[in-house]
Amino acid sequence: MRETIEFRIPERHAARLLEPGLGVRLDESTRKVVLPIEDKRVQEIGRIDRDFAQKGASFFLGWSIHRRYTEEELRSAELLNLVIRAYFEPPGSMCGTEYDDAVACQHCGTGASMKTPLILNARRVPKNKDIAQTIAGEIVVSPRFVAAFQEHGLCGAEFRPVLHQGRKGPKPSELSQLVVTSRPLTLTSRTVAGNNPFDLDERNEHRCPKGHIAGLNPLSELYVERASHDGSDICLTDKLFGDRRGELRPEPRLLISPKLRDVLTEMKAKGFILEVSHFE
């Protein structure tokens, strides 16, 4: 596995504080820097950012970790993290979907139950994607995803109708909502989460006192207890990532079996990438 980290840094900071020639300018105001995660210059960026943080600022505008696996690494994995890359809005709550927030956690907002079928503007769903999700974490799948899942006898999820909010009110769409029904997989302490690679949230600003949230962002591959797996082909992690901000809600991570991976590979499904996860 090759792991890199990408930073987006204001050009005025990069030109002054980074070594000449590091990264590429995206425009007049922003520079992109991509480095192997173990590169000593990553730690230097972290040191600079900590200096900025003491002044109430940030050195970089954004960051992302990228993991590239060989085909053999993906084929031999016992468990995979299905990372959805196709996002859209507005979320269900802005299209008529009703939630019961009275049952949600008062600290982190997790656990709100859906009181109505999922209602969306189906025209905003990315075209030619087999799996996508709203910014609130509502996951929809294509008819061929549903057909392949059922034809191969996979287990761990059910598919509910998605309604399209048209001018004359909700009407059926061809999409289905993916609802995972399997037992959650228990994340272990080897899973690292935090605000960013240099801030592991030691003050617990983004963790729930009731233990619902692992952290704002996953920073490592996912590690789960083998004993918590009930044999399903699709599961969710027991702890969530993110926080409640407006329409955004904390989300679990979606983990799949090698069998489902093979089905998705065979059908050339789109809308996601796969990362290796680990049983312990």
Side-chain angles (χ1 to χ4, degrees):
M1 183 262 289
R2 182 172 182 266
E3 191 173 35
T4 59
I5 185 166
E6 175 183 322
F7 298 99
R8 299 293 175 99
I9 303 172
E11 179 59 29
R12 68 184 186 277
H13 297 332
R16 181 169 59 92
L17 296 169
L18 296 182
E19 65 182 69
L22 182 61
V24 295
R25 292 182 65 170
L26 299 178
D27 51 41
E28 292 299 316
S29 62
T30 309
R31 187 184 300 193
K32 180 175 76 170
V33 176
V34 180
L35 294 167
I37 202 130
E38 69 277 4
D39 194 297
K40 64 181 182 180
R41 290 170 293 184
V42 173
Q43 295 307 313
E44 176 63 15
I45 290 173
R47 184 194 64 77
I48 297 171
D49 187 64
R50 285 189 290 272
D51 291 342
F52 271 65
Q54 292 178 356
K55 302 173 184 177
S58 178
F59 177 54
F60 46 84
L61 301 170
W63 60 274
S64 55
I65 294 174
H66 305 282
R67 299 182 179 95
R68 293 187 178 182
Y69 299 89
T70 65
E71 289 297 322
E72 177 56 31
E73 287 173 326
L74 291 174
R75 281 197 302 268
S76 61
E78 291 185 274
L79 188 68
L80 298 112
N81 179 11
L82 190 152
V83 183
I84 298 174
R85 291 301 197 200
Y87 281 84
F88 65 98
E89 52 183 311
S93 61
M94 297 181 69
C95 298
T97 307
E98 296 182 14
Y99 284 88
D100 183 3
D101 285 310
V103 300
C105 176
Q106 62 179 336
H107 299 284
C108 65
T110 64
S113 59
M114 190 176 288
K115 298 167 60 177
T116 65
L118 179 58
I119 306 171
L120 298 170
N121 182 349
R123 294 174 182 171
R124 299 296 298 273
V125 179
K127 304 298 182 184
N128 302 317
K129 304 298 183 184
D130 294 289
I131 186 166
Q133 73 177 56
T134 69
I135 60 171
E138 298 145 331
I139 301 175
V140 298
V141 293
S142 67
R144 73 188 200 118
F145 185 107
V146 176
F149 194 94
Q150 295 174 340
E151 288 171 6
H152 287 83
L154 301 172
C155 63
E158 63 183 30
F159 304 96
R160 299 176 184 172
V162 173
L163 301 180
H164 168 64
Q165 182 60 279
R167 293 182 179 180
K168 297 182 179 180
K171 60 181 181 180
S173 77
E174 66 172 8
L175 298 168
S176 296
Q177 180 188 10
L178 172 66
V179 178
V180 176
T181 57
S182 58
R183 188 171 68 190
L185 291 174
T186 303
L187 285 172
T188 75
S189 59
R190 286 191 67 184
T191 301
V192 180
N195 298 338
N196 65 54
F198 314 115
D199 179 1
L200 300 186
D201 194 15
E202 294 177 353
R203 293 175 294 182
N204 293 326
E205 294 176 320
H206 297 286
R207 289 185 170 90
C208 174
K210 293 189 175 182
H212 298 139
I213 308 296
L216 188 61
N217 299 293
L219 301 177
S220 70
E221 294 176 314
L222 302 180
Y223 294 82
V224 302
E225 293 181 4
R226 185 181 296 274
S228 66
H229 187 216
D230 64 7
S232 295
D233 295 294
I234 189 165
C235 305
L236 297 175
T237 56
D238 63 332
K239 292 187 183 337
L240 288 68
F241 298 87
D243 62 359
R244 183 69 189 270
R245 288 176 290 170
E247 297 299 327
L248 300 179
R249 296 173 182 262
E251 303 170 14
R253 286 302 182 262
L254 198 61
L255 300 171
I256 67 170
S257 68
K259 187 175 179 180
L260 178 51
R261 174 205 60 208
D262 292 343
V263 170
L264 296 176
T265 300
E266 181 181 348
M267 64 183 281
K268 297 181 179 179
K270 298 179 180 179
F272 65 94
I273 62 169
L274 294 176
E275 292 188 357
V276 172
S277 294
H278 307 273
F279 281 123
E280 290 196 314

